[in-house]
């Protein structure tokens, strides 16, 4: 069998590699942007190093291939992080998420065209079948049908080389039945694409299932979880959810923010929403400053974690797929200057020693990286019991995250907006700018309207830096309102 399957596997491996070579990328930035930043290339890369590699290994285990085996053993000893099965699942899930969120055109996608950015990466019938299975497992049946249909078409074009049409049609039929069953259950609400995993808290699966079974699951009962999820996706796609009149009332202006510091060089403010106020400040960081921040953060980046059940064992998060690092102001004078700049522009105290603010957080999202809708406050929605037993007293002492100040450290080539599904507002990343909003009402209550999330990166990568400002130092700086809703 080696004689017949061996060369075919090699040929396929090499032709997949040729797609990469065709990009003619030589610089590190090019690799990050065009190869690692392309969801199809990154899927292929990981697949080559997991599944395909195993097939090759199995086929070179005979005398004719001794030299190759030796070379391969050498590769395995390199101090590299070789992707594993789990990574391939992650890359497939990223493709599922991107297809679902951005409603990508399937026939363009399989030809390497991602939302208008063309590449040499293509998907085979077998790839589509594999990704369709992932959609199915995530209960995204409508999306699974689309992937299987494409797999069927491609299998025909490929003359059943990577997979046969017969094999595909079994999966297609199963997915069609599951889709029909679920649309029948939810009252024939067929057309609305809904998001997969949990907007806010707890919703999962196709969304259509949740609509039928538990419409009020979400962070606040007056908002349907699926509505948040729908709005979130629409905002990610760049759709307008507010009236023309409202949008034209959102102006840009120069502002000295009541500080002499800004008299000669006023802040460039772009209003993203009135109430609650969301502001974007342009040109907050220079390119040189951004370079420094990234340089220091890079070796410190680690996968975002979520706390395990009952605080036991932390696990890699699926609701937030990014890497983060925390930078202490004392590391560099630059970080102190940044804190001071934020303090001047927001009018809030950022004294780290006094615990008026958290350390600077730097986050990096790869292609497909995202953060499901959430609120930034940590205490306002907790019960007295939770505050007493599950929260570190030091957190209580700092008070809640009264405000968020978030820098964008790069331009994202496609996707990656910060979307506020309850406001219909979205902030689009632009290098050096920052967004600012209050998470709490003046009463100290959590402002549920500030629900927001990071849209998946469709192409390229995304860097942000968060400064969370705490309640403690602000009592003379942000006055209370007269009513709980103020
Ligand atoms: O990356 C973004 O756009 C949002 C990040 C965010 O919401 C957070 O880190 O809390
Ligand atoms: Fe957030």
């Amino acid at each position: 069998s080696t004689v017949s399957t061996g060369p075919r596997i090699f040929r396929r491996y090499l032709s997949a590699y040729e797609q990469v070579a065709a990009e003619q990328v030589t610089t590190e930035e090019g690799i990050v942007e065009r190869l690692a930043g392309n969801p199809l290339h990154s899927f292929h890369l990981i697949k080559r190093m997991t599944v395909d590699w195993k097939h090759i290994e199995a086929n070179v285990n005979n005398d004719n291939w001794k030299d190759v085996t030796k070379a391969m053993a050498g590769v395995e000893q390199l101090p590299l992080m070789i992707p594993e099965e789990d990574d391939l699942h992650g890359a497939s899930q990223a493709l599922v998420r991107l297809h679902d969120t951005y409603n990508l055109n399937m026939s363009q996608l399989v030809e390497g065209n991602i939302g208008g950015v063309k590449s040499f990466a293509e998907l085979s019938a077998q790839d589509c079948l594999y990704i369709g299975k992932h959609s199915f497992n995530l209960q995204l049946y409508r999306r699974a049908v689309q992937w299987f249909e494409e797999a069927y078409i491609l299998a025909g074009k490929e003359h059943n080389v990577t997979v046969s049409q017969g094999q595909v049609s079994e999966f297609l039929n199963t997915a069609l039945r599951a889709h029909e069953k679920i649309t029948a259950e939810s009252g024939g609400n067929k057309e609305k694409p809904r998001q997969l995993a949990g907007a806010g808290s707890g919703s999962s699966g196709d969304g259509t299932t949740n609509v039928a079974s538990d419409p009020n699951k979400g962070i606040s009962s007056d908002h349907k979880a699926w509505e948040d999820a729908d709005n979130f996706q629409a905002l990610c796609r760049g759709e307008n959810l507010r009236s023309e009149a409202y949008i034209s009332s959102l102006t840009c202006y120069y502002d000295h923010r009541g500080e002499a510091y800004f008299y000669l060089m006023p802040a460039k403010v772009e209003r993203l929403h009135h109430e609650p106020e969301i502001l974007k400040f342009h040109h907050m960081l220079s390119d040189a400053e951004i370079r420094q921040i990234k340089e220091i953060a890079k070796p410190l980046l680690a996968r975002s974690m979520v706390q395990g059940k009952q605080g036991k064992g932390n696990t890699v998060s699926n609701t937030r797929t990014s890497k983060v690092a925390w930078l202490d102001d004392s590391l560099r004078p630059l970080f102190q200057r940044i804190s001071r700049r934020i303090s001047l522009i927001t009018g809030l105290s950022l004294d780290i020693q006094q615990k008026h603010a958290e350390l600077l957080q730097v986050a990096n999202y790869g292609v497909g990286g995202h953060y499901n809708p959430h609120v930034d406050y940590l205490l306002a929605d907790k019960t007295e019991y939770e505050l007493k037993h599950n929260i570190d007293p030091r957190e209580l002492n700092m008070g809640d995250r009264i405000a968020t100040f978030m820098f964008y450290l790069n331009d994202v080539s496609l996707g990656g907006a910060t979307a506020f599904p309850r406001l219909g507002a979205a902030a689009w990343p632009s290098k050096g700018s920052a967004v600012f909003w209050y998470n709490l009402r003046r009463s100290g209550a959590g402002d549920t309207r500030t629900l927001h999330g990071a849209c998946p990166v469709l192409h390229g990568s995304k860097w942000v830096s968060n400064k969370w400002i705490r309640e403690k130092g602000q009592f003379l700086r942000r006055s209370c309102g007269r009513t709980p809703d103020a």
Side-chain angles (χ1 to χ4, degrees), residues 320 361 365 371 374 376 406 417-418 452 454 462 464 466 468:
R320 182 185 196 187
Q361 187 195 59
Y365 303 79
Y371 194 169
H374 63 277
D376 282 353
M406 184 178 74
T418 308
H452 64 279
K462 175 182 170 189
V464 298
N466 277 301
W468 283 294

Side-chain angles (χ1 to χ4, degrees), residues 283-293 334 337-338 341 407-409 431-433:
H283 299 125
M284 284 295 296
L285 293 174
S286 71
D287 288 357
E289 288 171 332
I290 289 173
R291 216 174 304 128
Q292 249 198 81
I293 298 172
L334 168 65
R337 286 209 309 277
I338 290 173
R341 214 173 289 165
F407 295 103
Y408 295 110
L409 303 184
K431 191 175 182 184
S433 70

Side-chain angles (χ1 to χ4, degrees), residues 421-440:
R422 295 189 180 173
L423 304 175
W428 291 88
S430 58
K431 191 175 182 184
S433 70
V435 278
F436 171 63
W437 70 88
Y438 282 101
N439 297 303
L440 304 180

Side-chain angles (χ1 to χ4, degrees), residues 96-111:
V96 169
R97 189 181 304 124
L98 293 176
H99 172 226
D100 189 45
T101 304
Y102 295 103
N103 212 1
L104 299 175
N105 176 318
M106 190 61 90
S107 46
Q108 286 181 356
L109 184 65
V110 301
E111 284 171 6

